[in-house]
Every structure is written in C-alpha cells, then in structure tokens.
DNA sequence: GAGATAATAT
DNA sequence: GATATTATCT
C-alpha cells in the first residue's frame, strides 16, 4: 500500500522540473503597477473599443506608495526601445494614459504543461484532501498566481479526473487501469493539458481514510535543489505538445530589455513566503525566460494573453 | 475549450 | 469574513 506512494513519489521527484523551467512563471504576470510603470498596455485594442463590460473602473487613484523610487534596476530601461516606440505611439489613444492601472485586469493565465505539472505535483503532495486552491497555490510558489487561477484550474482538473474515473471503472478494460502515471489514457485531443502530466494513482481511486500522513509543508524549492536533470519532463511535454518548443532560453521580454537587465519586481513579492529563491547563484543574472505574448488585432475581442513560455514564433 | 468571474456554499 | 465549490460567461 504504502509502496505505491513511495513509488510515485520517487518518480515525482525525478520529474521535478529544474529551476530554469520554473523561473519563467515568476515573471510571467505583470502587475498593473508594473505595467503602468513601464507604460505597457494593450497594443491594439483599448478600453475604447470595448463597449462591453470591461470592468473599467474610472477613478481609482494610483496609490502614492506604488513607486519604489530606489535604485530600480528596471527603471533604466524606459519604453524607449524601438519596439516600444511603435507601441506607445499606437496606444496613444485610449485611456491607457491615465487609466487605472491599478484595476487593470490581469491577462489570462496560460497553463503550460510545466505549470500544470507543478500544479499536479502540489496536489499530489497535499493529497486530494488538502488540495484546496489556497494551499495548492502556496505550494506551487508561483508568483503572480492567484487563488482563483488555481481554483479555476482545479475545477477543470477535477472534472478531468472524474472523467478518467468513469472511463477506467466503466470501461472495464481501460488500458491505463488506475496505474496512472503514463499518459496513455484518453486522447490528448480532449484534455491536452491534463494528459501532459501524469496523474498520481490515488487521485483516481477514493482516498482511503488512512492515517493522514500528508507532508507538512514541503516547499518545493527545497526539493529542487537536488534535482536538475529532468529535462526529460520538458521533452516529454514537448512531445505531447509539438506546438510549443521547449526553448527556455530567450531573454527578450516585452520590455526589450538587455540581457543584463535584471528584473526585480517589488510589486510581485507578496506571496506568502519565499524561503529561498532558487536560482541561487548570487551575482548571476536571473534573466527569466519568458515572453509576453499579446494576442490581439482582432477587431472583435482582442484579449491579452500571457504566455509563460517562449513561443518561438518569430 | 480554456480560463476568468459571478454565485453560492461551507 | 474568508475560503471553497459550483455555475456561468467570455
């Protein structure tokens, strides 16, 4: 019985993505403040083109405390880059100028296989029992990730699990047979994302009321220190998702910042606790490999989407 | 279909 | 009141 768990646990450890793969997420979400600081906003469509209910809060006075005027590393690179030039010129209209960056809606979070994996890992460690949005979120330690993000994803994920349960129990044969692990189950066409990460066994069958021995609190950061060779995970993901290329190096964010432009978001630092930022190597520029992909151009409803990973589509 | 958001329940 | 879960919308 317990062997099952130690089994998948080992696997779990092995599959832990290296820091490199995890980093991107931390910078992924740009807070309104940050966006404002950089003068970033929607390229093509602005509030103007949306007669909808875009939740435009007009009068939110920007807090005077928003600006850490100290030596902000990123302050040096103002939106003067060529790329930005066009940018700023374009969105000159609209209300971006004084629009409440405070109330800007975050772009949709894109659950990449890596991110989802982290999610599954967290859930696995917490156990279905304790796997609630908040806890999961904390365990994931992904800055910018909100409880709602997790909740929403969790909802879908549970649905997915349910589906699988039904399939394995009702189908009888069920190739995958609760063994879980390998994603040889339902067609990836239906649940691409979910299929990308193995589902711990006990996820499917009813958690037996054993003496709950859930791990107190294992900051993944701690575990990560030991492993850093599971690139395979990424590879596997890539296989499942040929669309995206696992090139985690690509340091040119939306800010067109130079390689040495370290990003430090005082704004983002707000999560519960950040024991020790992985990526130890002090003095090493932690240029995150992320890319912000603004999806727009559709006169209809251009919605901004943040891609956590380089799409390599240039 | 994915993710966010509103509504409702605990 | 905060968080979780469910339902609905985009």
């Amino acid at each position: 019985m317990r062997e099952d768990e130690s089994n998948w646990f080992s696997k779990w450890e092995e599959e832990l993505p290296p820091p490199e793969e995890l980093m991107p997420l931390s910078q992924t979400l740009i807070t309104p403040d940050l966006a404002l600081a950089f003068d970033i906003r929607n390229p093509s469509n602005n509030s103007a083109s949306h007669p909808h209910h875009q939740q435009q809060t007009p009068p939110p006075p920007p807090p005077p405390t928003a600006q850490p005027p100290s030596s902000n590393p990123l302050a040096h690179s103002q939106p003067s880059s060529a790329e930005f030039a066009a940018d700023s010129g374009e969105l000159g209209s609209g209300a971006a100028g004084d629009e409440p960056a405070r109330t800007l809606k975050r772009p949709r979070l894109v659950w990449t296989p890596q991110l989802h994996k982290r999610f599954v890992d967290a859930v696995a460690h917490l156990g279905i029992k304790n796997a609630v949005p908040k806890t999961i979120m904390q365990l994931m330690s992904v800055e910018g990730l909100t409880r709602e993000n997790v909740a929403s994803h969790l909802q879908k994920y549970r649905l997915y699990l349910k589906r699988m349960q039904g399939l394995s129990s009702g189908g009888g044969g069920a190739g995958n047979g609760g063994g879980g692990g390998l994603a040889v189950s339902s067609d990836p066409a239906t649940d691409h994302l979910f299929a990308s990460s193995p589902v711990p066994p006990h996820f499917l069958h009813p958690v037996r009321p054993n003496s709950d021995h859930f791990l107190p609190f294992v900051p993944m950061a701690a575990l990560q220190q030991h492993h850093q060779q599971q690139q395979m995970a990424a590879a596997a993901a890539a296989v499942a998702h040929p669309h995206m290329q696992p090139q985690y190096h690509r340091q040119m964010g939306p800010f067109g910042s130079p390689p040495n432009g370290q990003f430090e978001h005082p704004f983002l630092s707000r999560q519960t606790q950040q024991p020790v930022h992985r990526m130890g190597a002090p003095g090493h520029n932690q240029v995150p490999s992320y890319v912000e992909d603004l999806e727009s151009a559709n006169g209809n409803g251009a919605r901004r989407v943040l891609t956590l990973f380089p799409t390599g589509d240039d």
Side-chain angles (χ1 to χ4, degrees), chain A residues 34-48:
Chain A
L34 184 57
L36 181 62
F38 277 81
D39 209 53
I40 304 170
R41 55 266 214 202
N42 258 356
S44 32
N45 90 314
N46 266 328
S47 44

Side-chain angles (χ1 to χ4, degrees), chain A residues 5 19 32 37 52 60 62 64 71 80 119 144 162 171 193 214 253 265 267-268 280 302:
Chain A
E5 291 159 32
H52 272 3
S71 43
S80 33
F119 166 85
K162 225 161 225 181
L193 217 201
F214 76 96
H265 304 177
F267 324 100
L268 293 178

Side-chain angles (χ1 to χ4, degrees), chain A residues 240-265:
Chain A
H241 299 257
H243 311 308
M244 58 187 307
Q245 312 170 9
Q247 31 184 254
Y248 304 100
H249 9 275
R250 210 256 190 95
Q251 44 205 5
M252 227 208 25
F255 307 138
S257 50
N260 71 335
Q262 287 194 349
F263 289 99
E264 274 260 304
H265 304 177

Side-chain angles (χ1 to χ4, degrees), chain A residues 5-6 16 30 57 70 120 122 140 261 268 284 294 302:
Chain A
E5 291 159 32
S6 14
L16 275 177
I30 295 168
T57 335
S70 25
V120 173
M140 289 179 73
L268 293 178
H284 217 269
L294 299 199

Side-chain angles (χ1 to χ4, degrees), chain A residues 141-211:
Chain A
S141 297
V142 175
E143 280 193 40
L145 190 66
T146 69
R147 198 174 59 81
E148 349 260 4
N149 287 140
V150 176
S152 180
H153 191 67
L154 182 59
Q155 181 178 27
K156 298 290 162 60
Y157 187 60
R158 281 171 173 161
L159 257 59
Y160 165 76
L161 291 181
K162 225 161 225 181
R163 284 186 83 85
M164 294 205 76
Q165 282 193 66
L167 284 174
S168 55
S169 68
N176 61 341
L182 301 190
V184 294
S185 25
S186 46
D187 34 324
T190 327
D191 5 69
H192 12 205
L193 217 201
F194 300 120
S196 69
S197 291
V199 178
H202 54 267
F203 270 40
L204 299 174
H205 66 70
V207 197
R208 48 144 180 284
N210 204 349
S211 41

Side-chain angles (χ1 to χ4, degrees), chain A residues 41-45 50 107-108 110 291-307 311 313:
Chain A
R41 55 266 214 202
N42 258 356
S44 32
N45 90 314
H50 253 185
R108 294 168 56 113
V110 176
V291 102
E292 187 194 37
D293 217 4
L294 299 199
E295 192 175 271
S296 55
N298 286 340
N300 181 0
R303 24 182 71 161
R304 17 217 247 281
V305 177
L306 273 192
T307 310
T311 44
D313 57 287

Side-chain angles (χ1 to χ4, degrees), chain A residues 93-110:
Chain A
S93 57
D98 58 332
E99 197 62 34
R102 222 342 208 264
T103 51
L104 278 180
K105 271 170 37 183
R106 293 190 195 230
R108 294 168 56 113
L109 169 68
V110 176

